[in-house]
Amino acid sequence: MKTLVQEESIKIPEGVKITIKSKCVEVSGKHGKLSRDFKHLPIELYKSGKQVRAKMYFAKSKQLSMLRTVCSHISNLFEGVEKKFQYK
């Protein structure tokens, strides 16, 4: 059975700037700039206030798992520009 509309939201942390342009997410913070492309997924991404919202229409349960995965990727982008990491 298909779900009509499913929506997930993520809080934008302090000191982080995000731009969303045609499913390309670019996050910049004090430790650099990261970007990720979600053009291959049938989702709608937009910024409302201090939150990033991801919406999906007419999705089955397997497709709804993509929605949470996108939110996890975006929160990992936030974490990547907030904390400094060095490969050893």
Side-chain angles (χ1 to χ4, degrees):
M1 192 159 134
K2 291 187 177 183
T3 305
L4 292 178
V5 178
Q6 183 71 28
E7 186 173 6
E8 293 280 334
S9 63
I10 313 160
K11 273 188 163 180
I12 301 173
E14 292 293 322
V16 174
K17 292 182 182 176
I18 182 168
T19 56
I20 300 171
K21 192 171 188 179
S22 67
K23 296 185 188 178
C24 289
V25 178
E26 193 170 286
V27 178
S28 59
K30 64 179 181 180
H31 290 296
K33 184 186 263 188
L34 295 172
S35 63
R36 186 94 190 211
D37 188 10
F38 297 108
K39 287 186 180 178
H40 61 284
L41 298 175
I43 60 169
E44 184 179 302
L45 288 169
Y46 60 96
K47 181 180 167 185
S48 66
K50 297 207 177 233
Q51 289 186 336
V52 176
R53 296 190 182 265
K55 251 187 204 178
M56 184 177 272
Y57 297 97
F58 304 111
K60 294 183 180 178
S61 63
K62 293 273 187 178
Q63 295 167 335
L64 287 175
S65 64
M66 290 188 294
L67 192 62
R68 189 66 204 152
T69 302
V70 167
C71 291
S72 297
H73 283 303
I74 293 173
S75 64
N76 287 341
L77 289 175
F78 290 151
E79 194 173 316
V81 297
E82 283 182 322
K83 300 176 184 173
K84 196 170 184 177
F85 184 79
Q86 181 179 2
Y87 286 105
K88 291 184 179 185

